[in-house]
Amino acid sequence: ISFLSFNTREMTTPNPMLQPKVREAIAHAIDRDKITKFVVGGGSSTPKAACYRTQFGCRQDVAQYKYDPALAKKLLAEAGYPNGLTVELAAFRSREWTEAVASYLNAVGIKTNITFLQYAAAYEKVTSNSVHLYLGDWGSYSINDVSAILNNFFTLSANDMAQDKELAGWLQAASATVDLKVRKANYDKAVAKIAEQNYWLPLWVHPVVYANTADLEFRAFAD
């Protein structure tokens, strides 16, 4: 899935992402369904939570943010930005997808400066705490469990843009046991809090395309 990650850490300059209303405004400003249908394309879908829907622990009944640009502008004004603001966004996957997101933000008064880089350089922007937003994605190594995605991004490592100790504690407790009830209870709280606090805005599921031919000769990597 692709996601928009919000940097809620203190930065060298005032960070507007520390305000929940700014994060909520951004969530309401983006028409994810339209980008999914017309930009990402066939085979894509809009996820409800910050994980893939079939993964164990990926509860779906979490806070949702429908496209509502008028509400986005209202929330920005309430947060102290009636004339908008400027944010820095790093991305690496698709310039077209990134520009689609930025165009929606620009339309509600959030001037979005895009830094489009190779993955390693974009990742360094995250770990060095130098951008407000990060448009990233993760495939979970095809592991059908949320530990393969959330524990990579929300357990207080350098790439954790939220740095939420309570959230990290739930994820670490879930990954420390094979008791399904304990794991689910902790992941339920974690997935819900990520949505409620807008630490991530899940954007779209990447299309998967299959093809076959009898003439193909292909040697797979060992893994």
Side-chain angles (χ1 to χ4, degrees):
I1 66 168
S2 277
F3 54 84
L4 192 64
S5 181
F6 297 84
N7 186 2
T8 59
R9 299 167 290 187
E10 293 285 352
M11 302 176 70
T12 55
T13 57
N15 180 8
M17 296 305 129
L18 288 169
Q19 296 196 50
K21 286 188 176 181
V22 172
R23 303 198 298 273
E24 186 179 351
I26 290 172
H28 284 296
I30 303 168
D31 192 339
R32 296 177 296 148
D33 290 335
K34 186 167 285 187
I35 296 176
T36 294
K37 183 176 180 180
F38 295 108
V39 183
V40 183
S44 180
S45 58
T46 308
K48 293 183 177 180
C51 40
Y52 187 66
R53 58 182 175 77
T54 65
Q55 288 181 304
F56 177 84
C58 188
R59 64 179 292 184
Q60 300 292 286
D61 57 333
V62 296
Q64 301 295 306
Y65 301 92
K66 293 183 179 181
Y67 175 55
D68 190 337
L71 177 57
K73 291 178 181 178
K74 180 175 180 291
L75 288 165
L76 286 175
E78 291 174 357
Y81 299 98
N83 300 315
L85 70 155
T86 299
V87 298
E88 302 296 327
L89 183 154
F92 67 90
R93 176 67 62 190
S94 164
R95 188 176 295 276
E96 184 182 16
W97 298 357
T98 305
E99 289 176 350
V101 169
S103 68
Y104 279 110
L105 298 182
N106 290 330
V108 299
I110 302 172
K111 184 179 184 299
T112 306
N113 295 327
I114 298 171
T115 303
F116 196 81
L117 303 162
Q118 294 295 316
Y119 171 74
Y123 183 81
E124 193 275 334
K125 289 283 186 182
V126 172
T127 58
S128 65
N129 192 21
S130 59
V131 289
H132 302 108
L133 301 170
Y134 171 60
L135 203 166
D137 59 54
W138 195 252
S140 298
Y141 307 101
S142 297
I143 296 170
N144 209 27
D145 188 285
V146 296
S147 63
I149 182 168
L150 299 187
N151 287 64
N152 278 280
F153 293 97
F154 292 103
T155 50
L156 308 180
S157 61
N159 70 343
D160 181 354
M161 296 177 80
Q163 293 293 313
D164 184 318
K165 292 181 180 179
E166 181 180 53
L167 173 59
W170 293 331
L171 293 172
Q172 289 163 340
S175 66
T177 179
V178 294
D179 186 312
L180 292 182
K181 289 184 178 180
V182 174
R183 297 185 77 240
K184 188 176 185 305
N186 279 287
Y187 282 135
D188 278 353
K189 290 185 289 187
V191 175
K193 186 169 190 180
I194 291 168
E196 289 165 3
Q197 295 297 319
N198 263 311
Y199 289 146
W200 269 17
L201 178 66
L203 295 172
W204 47 75
V205 177
H206 291 214
V208 179
V209 179
Y210 297 92
N212 72 82
T213 172
D215 299 325
L216 177 66
E217 292 183 11
F218 174 74
R219 183 175 180 178
F221 289 105
D223 62 353

